[in-house]
Amino acid sequence: MSRTIETLLAPPPGFRSEAVARFVWQLDALRESLLANVGGLTTADLDWQPHLGMNTIGMLLAHIAYAESHIVQVGLEGRAVSDTLSVIGITEQDEGLPLAPGAPPSPALLGRPLSGFIDMLAGARAYTTRVARTLADEDLERRIERPPRPDGSRRVFNVAWVFFHLIEINLVRHLRRIQTAG
């Protein structure tokens, strides 16, 4: 006799928009996968830099938290500038990306245990969820115009793109696999 295996997307309750709830569900599913992939990493694993100028796993985790809290503040809330320090406890300078060629890792992140990065990620997601719960379907089309960049170009995006970009950032599946010789 065959059995039925159901795989259903069940958006979380409490959102004004079912579409926004589905975006958050995707973000949560990706976060669960990410945490499973980094579970058990030591501080040395998180601080490991393959070569000067390359990111550490800790820097990538901090970047995911930083990017999420930053883009939610400027993209979903429409703030002129973000305050990531109040959400995840680090600034853009602490995050350290992008590293200059030949640069060492961000000193602000060295020595942090995995639990510190998990806390950053959880803070960013709690903030995202709180803001996302207030959005309606029509908010997804709202356009955000950012101030001119140093090169004079302008950036315009909509709220739906913000969610796409958050999903894109969280698609990191495998940050590093280490093979050690016995």
Side-chain angles (χ1 to χ4, degrees):
M1 174 146 75
S2 66
R3 61 187 175 110
T4 300
I5 299 171
E6 290 186 346
T7 306
L8 307 173
L9 187 150
F15 288 78
R16 288 181 62 200
S17 164
E18 187 172 315
V20 171
R22 288 178 188 274
F23 280 128
V24 173
W25 179 88
Q26 291 172 66
L27 287 167
D28 288 346
L30 288 167
R31 180 61 48 80
E32 186 178 321
S33 175
L34 173 66
L35 293 178
N37 281 310
V38 299
L41 290 181
T42 66
T43 301
D45 294 331
L46 296 165
D47 289 348
W48 178 71
Q49 185 182 37
H51 300 286
L52 290 174
M54 294 182 74
N55 300 321
T56 66
I57 294 171
M59 289 176 66
L60 294 172
L61 292 172
H63 176 70
I64 292 168
Y66 170 82
E68 183 169 333
S69 62
H70 169 75
I71 200 166
V72 165
Q73 290 179 14
V74 300
L76 300 185
E77 292 184 304
R79 293 184 187 191
V81 295
S82 65
D83 176 18
T84 60
L85 184 63
S86 70
V87 177
I88 61 169
I90 64 169
T91 65
E92 182 176 16
Q93 291 72 32
D94 296 335
E95 174 226 16
L97 270 70
L99 275 179
S106 168
L109 301 175
L110 290 175
R112 287 183 188 240
L114 181 58
S115 61
F117 293 102
I118 291 172
D119 288 347
M120 276 187 232
L121 292 164
R125 182 53 45 78
Y127 193 86
T128 298
T129 301
R130 183 181 62 72
V131 173
R133 286 184 188 282
T134 68
L135 300 174
D137 286 341
E138 56 270 14
D139 289 318
L140 292 170
E141 297 307 317
R142 181 170 36 89
R143 294 167 59 101
I144 295 95
E145 285 195 41
R146 298 295 295 152
R149 293 177 168 183
D151 68 0
S153 66
R154 297 189 64 83
R155 182 80 190 264
V156 179
F157 50 86
N158 66 8
V159 169
W161 179 86
V162 170
F163 282 109
F164 164 77
H165 190 56
L166 290 174
I167 290 167
E168 183 178 48
I169 291 166
N170 280 274
L171 281 175
V172 177
R173 290 216 180 265
H174 304 283
L175 298 175
R176 176 180 78 141
R177 298 254 186 234
I178 299 175
Q179 300 266 334
T180 56

